[in-house]
Amino acid sequence: MPPRRVLIVVNPIAGGGRAPRDAEDVRRRLAAEGLSVELVLTKVSGDAERAAYGAARDGADTVLACGGDGTINEVAQGIAGTDAALAVLPLGTANVLAHELGLGYGPKSAAKLVLHGCRRRFDLGRMGGRAFVCMASAGFDAYVTEHMAKWRRGSINYLSYVAPTLNAFWNYPYTPLTVKVDGVAVRRAAYHVIVGNVRNYGGPFTMTPRAKPDDGMLDVVAFGAPGHGMLALYMAAAIVHVHPLFHTVEMARGRRIEVEADEPVPVQLDGDFRGYSPACFEIAPERLWVLKDGRQPCPR
C-alpha cells in the first residue's frame, strides 16, 4: 500500500534554487493520489534533521529529502531507528546516494518513488554522535570541504569546488595517517583515507567497489603515497576503477575504522566538513529504511 503521510523536506537553495518549485510539484502529485503531505523549507543547518525527527515521531511513513547529500544526511539522522523511510529527490552536486540507488531525477520520478518504491534496510556509518549514509574521509578531500564550508555562499555546483581545490593543492600538508581496521593496523602512513558504506564516492569515482549498504561492514581505502602528482594519479586511476591495483593502495573491510595522526587532519561525512582526527568510524547495521525504485530488485 502507498504511504499515508509524507513530509517533504526542502533545501531551498538546492538545484540552483529550483528545489521549492520541484518540491511543490511533487506535493501536488502526491496529494492528487490521496496522500497527506506536508512541505517544510529549511533555513539553517539542523532544520532538516529536526523536521524529519518530528515527522517520524508523529507517524509519517516517508520523508522525502529534496536537496543534496547534506540534506539527505540530516534527514537520515532524524529518522534513523524509526519506521519512516527516506526518499530522495536529488538536487545536489554529487548526488551520491541517488547514483547508488539508480534513482531518476525530477518531480515525476520522485512522486513515483514515494508511491511505488520498495523499502530497503540500510546500514549507517557513525563517527561519534554523527551518522553518514554514503561515505566519510580524512585527508585532502576533507580539507577541500573544510574550506568550502568557510567560503560557501548560497547554492553550489562543481565549479564552486575549483577555488577550494586549488587552495588544497597549494596548501595541504599531506600529514601521515595511521589506519586501523577492527584494531589491526592496515596502513601506518596513509595520506588520504576514504570510508565507504556505498560504492559511489561522487562524480565518476567508485572508491570502494565492494561496499554494500546492507552487509554490516564499512569498506576503507587508504592511499599510501603523498604529493600532488600521486594524488592526481590516484584520482585518474579511480575513474577507470584500477586504483586497487596500486601497491601503495590498501583496501580493507571492517566494523570499526580508526584514523589517527600526529597533527589534526580534516574529516568529512557525506561531503560536509565535520571536524578533525582522531576519528573512529563504526557501522550501525540496518538503522535506516530507504525507498528505491520498485521496478528494481529489492530483497530487504
Side-chain angles (χ1 to χ4, degrees), residues 197-216:
N197 189 39
V198 301
R199 296 165 298 172
N200 189 261
Y201 169 81
F205 303 110
T206 301
M207 291 295 189
T208 49
R210 296 191 303 160
K212 296 180 180 180
D214 57 4
D215 63 357

Side-chain angles (χ1 to χ4, degrees), residues 25 42 48 61 75 78 106 111 113 134 136 147 154 198 207 216 227 233 298:
D25 190 341
T42 64
D61 304 278
V75 170
L113 179 67
C134 296
H147 287 81
V198 301
M207 291 295 189
L233 186 59
C298 196

Side-chain angles (χ1 to χ4, degrees), residues 127 137-139 142-143 145-147 150 172 177 259-261 263-268 273-281:
M127 185 187 77
S137 69
Y143 186 92
T145 66
E146 177 186 15
H147 287 81
K150 295 176 181 177
Y172 185 64
L177 302 160
V259 178
E260 300 177 347
E263 299 292 335
V265 173
V267 175
Q268 63 86 15
F273 172 67
R274 293 294 179 185
Y276 300 92
S277 63
C280 179
F281 308 102

